[in-house]
């Protein structure tokens, strides 16, 4: 597995491991913080770097991904970096065409419409050879980070990837994908298995290349109710964690903490907490104290400030962060937003959020 990246022994020594220690449930001097979509269009330097390039061309350039991953860290004292990439590189690697349409988002010219369309998909085993550019980006970024903070790798969860492949893009109802679940349960499971079989070596490859933690994004959990979620999402979420951990061990690679973020999946918090992940990410619709009561003390929680709170004044951001940290408490907790940053957010306010987490969490521990 070491072939697609340099062995970890060549990487600079990690200077700030606060995020990793919190993920593993260890004590920390302060609460670590990072932001989903922290590399993004809210930064003018991001817009300049991306301006001339097609979105997926950027994803395929290790140098561009490295630069975009590092940009927010030059501005803010974040406690982790997350590799710049996209969840849809996996369907691409399986042979589906995906384009990024400005102002509209991802588009699949030929989505999966019939059961027989599954035959168009490549063998999931070839996915890692198609995605070498992600591994190169991770290795380069890990070198360039110079041990400042850990680097997070990620992927989309099977159900979320399936929705894009069937809908052909974004959807407010996911009616086509859910039609598959109800009308073609066997084909749906077949597709979800193909995606799981692709994701496992892809995530292991990211660790071999230098990723020090992994986050699985089940961004479309909220379109499923508890029954469909338990049948078509949760088993694959569990399977990914179990198989990635087993493969890391077989490959002689050190374990890394894994994070599951199921947006709007609050109905499955207990199940997610027992799905084999060290960290459960929460969106902003979940009350921190209630979440902690429901998941117990065996997992770390991550989240969950409403991203739109960053539109508030810097003073109010400080108060909201204080309330959030009081509610989550200092143990087994990583601060984040409840979803990604939006393009029109003020970088100064992102800085205010990060500083407030560090400042208040140190005060909390003194008292």
């Amino acid at each position: 597995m070491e072939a697609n990246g340099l062995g970890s022994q060549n990487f600079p020594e990690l200077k700030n491991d606060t995020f990793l220690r919190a993920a593993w449930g260890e004590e920390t001097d302060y609460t670590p913080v990072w932001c989903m979509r922290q590399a993004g269009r809210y930064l003018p330097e991001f817009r300049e770097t991306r301006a001339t390039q097609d979105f997926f061309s950027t994803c395929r350039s290790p140098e561009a991904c490295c630069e975009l991953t590092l940009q927010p860290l030059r501005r803010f004292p974040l406690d982790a970096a997350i590799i710049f990439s996209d969840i849809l590189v996996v369907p691409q690697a399986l042979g589906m065409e995906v384009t990024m349409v400005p102002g509209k988002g991802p588009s699949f010219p030929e989505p999966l419409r019939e059961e027989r369309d599954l035959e168009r998909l490549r063998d999931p085993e070839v996915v890692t050879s198609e995605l070498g550019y992600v591994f190169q980006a991770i290795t380069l970024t890990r070198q360039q980070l110079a041990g400042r903070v850990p680097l997070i790798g990620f992927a989309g969860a099977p159900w979320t990837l399936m929705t894009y492949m069937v809908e052909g893009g974004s959807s407010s109802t996911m009616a086509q994908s859910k039609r598959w679940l109800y009308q073609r349960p066997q084909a749906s499971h077949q597709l979800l298995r193909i995606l799981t079989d692709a994701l496992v070596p892809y995530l292991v490859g990211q660790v071999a290349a230098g990723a020090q933690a992994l986050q699985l994004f089940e961004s479309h959990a909220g379109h499923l109710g508890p029954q469909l979620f338990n049948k078509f999402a949760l088993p694959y979420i569990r399977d990914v964690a179990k198989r990635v951990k087993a493969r890391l061990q077989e490959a002689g690679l050190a374990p890394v903490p894994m994070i599951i973020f199921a947006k709007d999946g609050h109905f499955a918090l207990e199940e997610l907490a027992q799905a084999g992940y060290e960290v459960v990410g929460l969106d902003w619709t979940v009350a921190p104290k209630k979440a902690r009561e429901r998941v117990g003390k065996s997992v770390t929680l991550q989240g969950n400030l409403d991203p739109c709170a960053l539109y508030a004044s810097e003073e109010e951001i400080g108060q909201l962060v204080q309330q959030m940290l009081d509610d989550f408490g200092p143990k087994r907790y990583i601060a984040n937003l409840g979803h990604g940053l939006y393009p029109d957010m003020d970088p100064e306010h992102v800085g205010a959020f990060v500083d407030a987490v560090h400042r208040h969490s140190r005060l909390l521990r003194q008292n």
Side-chain angles (χ1 to χ4, degrees):
M1 290 308 291
E2 293 292 74
N4 38 27
L6 298 169
S8 49
Q9 65 277 9
N10 299 339
F11 290 125
E13 195 182 346
L14 185 59
K15 299 186 191 85
N16 172 2
D17 65 350
T18 313
F19 162 79
L20 293 178
R21 298 212 340 260
W24 288 119
E26 296 165 22
E27 300 274 324
T28 58
D29 298 338
Y30 63 89
T31 297
V33 57
W34 67 281
C35 297
M36 290 186 272
R37 295 209 193 118
Q38 63 189 27
R41 289 174 295 174
Y42 73 101
L43 292 176
E45 57 269 37
F46 177 96
R47 293 196 294 272
E48 280 163 34
T49 309
R50 275 268 294 111
T52 54
Q53 277 196 301
D54 159 71
F55 178 79
F56 285 110
S57 308
T58 306
C59 290
R60 284 190 285 272
S61 159
E63 293 71 24
C65 291
C66 176
E67 166 60 20
L68 294 170
T69 303
L70 296 176
Q71 281 175 355
L73 294 162
R74 295 190 190 117
R75 278 194 186 240
F76 316 115
L78 295 154
D79 294 292
I82 183 164
I83 194 67
F84 179 81
S85 185
D86 195 87
I87 64 171
L88 298 181
V89 298
V90 169
Q92 273 185 335
L94 285 167
M96 294 191 77
E97 190 192 338
V98 192
T99 56
M100 198 59 81
V101 182
K104 181 176 170 250
S107 173
F108 288 69
E110 293 184 47
L112 304 173
R113 285 283 173 251
E114 303 293 331
E115 229 166 292
R116 62 169 181 270
D117 291 343
L118 296 181
E119 292 161 23
R120 289 179 3 218
L121 300 177
R122 289 191 189 120
D123 180 344
E125 285 302 313
V126 306
V127 165
T128 41
S129 55
E130 292 285 323
L131 294 174
Y133 59 86
V134 180
F135 305 141
Q136 288 164 8
I138 287 172
T139 301
L140 180 64
T141 306
R142 179 81 189 272
Q143 297 283 6
Q144 297 287 319
L145 269 171
R148 208 152 101 205
V149 293
L151 179 60
I152 304 168
F154 72 90
W159 157 249
T160 293
L161 294 178
M162 172 181 169
T163 61
Y164 282 106
M165 293 161 79
V166 172
E167 300 289 339
S170 304
S171 157
S172 57
T173 60
M174 302 297 161
Q176 294 305 319
S177 321
K178 289 175 76 174
R179 174 192 291 237
W180 271 61
L181 302 185
Y182 283 112
Q183 292 185 350
R184 305 180 179 138
Q186 296 321 110
S188 297
H189 282 300
Q190 190 190 342
L191 174 55
L192 292 161
R193 273 196 300 273
I194 289 169
L195 287 163
T196 304
D197 290 346
L199 287 169
V200 171
Y202 177 49
L203 289 166
V204 172
Q206 290 188 45
V207 176
Q212 291 152 292
L214 296 169
Q215 177 153 316
L216 198 68
F217 285 87
E218 188 69 282
S219 311
H220 297 163
H223 291 278
L224 302 175
Q227 284 173 304
L228 286 181
F229 187 84
N230 287 341
K231 198 168 163 188
F232 292 103
L234 189 63
Y236 299 98
I237 287 171
R238 282 199 188 114
D239 206 30
V240 167
K242 192 169 117 193
R243 287 168 60 187
V244 165
K245 289 178 177 190
R247 280 230 194 167
L248 288 175
Q249 203 173 358
E250 286 161 23
L253 291 162
V256 299
M258 293 180 72
I259 308 164
I260 176 66
F261 175 64
K263 187 170 180 296
D264 298 317
H266 41 79
F267 53 81
L269 261 188
E270 291 84 350
E271 289 82 356
L272 289 165
Q274 314 211 330
Y277 293 76
E278 283 69 32
V279 183
V280 175
L282 303 175
D283 63 51
W284 71 91
T285 64
V286 183
K289 283 181 175 167
K290 286 189 179 157
R292 177 58 75 195
E293 282 165 23
R294 287 173 60 189
V295 305
K297 297 193 170 77
S298 61
V299 292
T300 293
L301 291 173
Q302 175 177 283
N304 75 336
L305 190 74
D306 179 358
C308 293
L310 297 189
Y311 295 128
S313 68
E314 295 189 23
E315 188 189 1
E316 194 180 347
I317 290 169
Q319 292 162 356
L320 292 165
V321 165
Q322 186 169 345
Q323 182 65 56
M324 176 175 82
L325 293 175
D326 290 349
D327 287 351
F328 275 108
K331 292 197 172 121
R332 296 215 82 134
Y333 174 54
I334 295 161
N336 204 317
L337 302 172
H339 198 225
L341 286 157
Y342 301 142
D344 63 351
M345 286 178 166
D346 183 345
E348 296 291 315
H349 288 215
V350 177
F353 167 65
V354 174
D355 291 342
V357 170
H358 286 154
R359 195 174 61 249
H360 187 68
S361 66
R362 284 184 190 279
L363 286 172
L364 252 185
R365 282 163 173 76
Q366 282 163 20
N367 300 333

